[in-house]
Amino acid sequence: GCAMAAQKRGMFDCAFCRTPIPGNDADRLAMVQTRVEKKDPVAMHSLGEKYCHGENGLKRDMLRAIKLWTEAAELGSVDAQYHLGGRYYTGEGVEEDKPRGICHWQ
């Protein structure tokens, strides 16, 4: 997508704010959190991923990931819908609800 095209042109800054991407976890998380606070669904999905897998110094927290993905999905994130579908279908981090999981995938 746009990020890949920008990188091919030698642009490695944040696609949203055009600032250089920080080199450490704490600063990267602060940058994403700023976008989350501004209701950016891409940032919400990304932070949900980090909580889901325990990345960038965060502890694994599926409940937090589900909350972030839910809000991102409500704001139009297809990626968040996909992840919610998988979690509800398998019951990972939430009570298993296969019909709800399938609904997120449709």
Side-chain angles (χ1 to χ4, degrees), residues 27-94:
D27 289 342
R28 276 194 298 272
L29 283 172
M31 182 181 254
V32 171
Q33 187 61 43
T34 298
R35 289 177 40 215
V36 167
E37 291 166 4
K38 293 179 181 180
K39 303 298 183 194
D40 176 353
V42 174
M44 290 174 180
H45 171 259
S46 176
L47 189 57
E49 283 286 292
K50 295 189 184 341
Y51 275 109
C52 176
H53 300 292
E55 297 172 344
N56 290 69
L58 296 173
K59 291 187 182 211
R60 190 167 193 264
D61 185 344
M62 282 302 297
L63 182 59
R64 180 77 173 123
I66 295 293
K67 287 180 181 179
L68 285 161
W69 288 336
T70 299
E71 189 170 359
E74 289 169 357
L75 292 170
S77 171
V78 175
D79 292 328
Q81 289 279 9
Y82 172 79
H83 283 98
L84 285 170
R87 297 312 181 254
Y88 279 106
Y89 193 84
T90 63
E92 184 182 356
V94 293

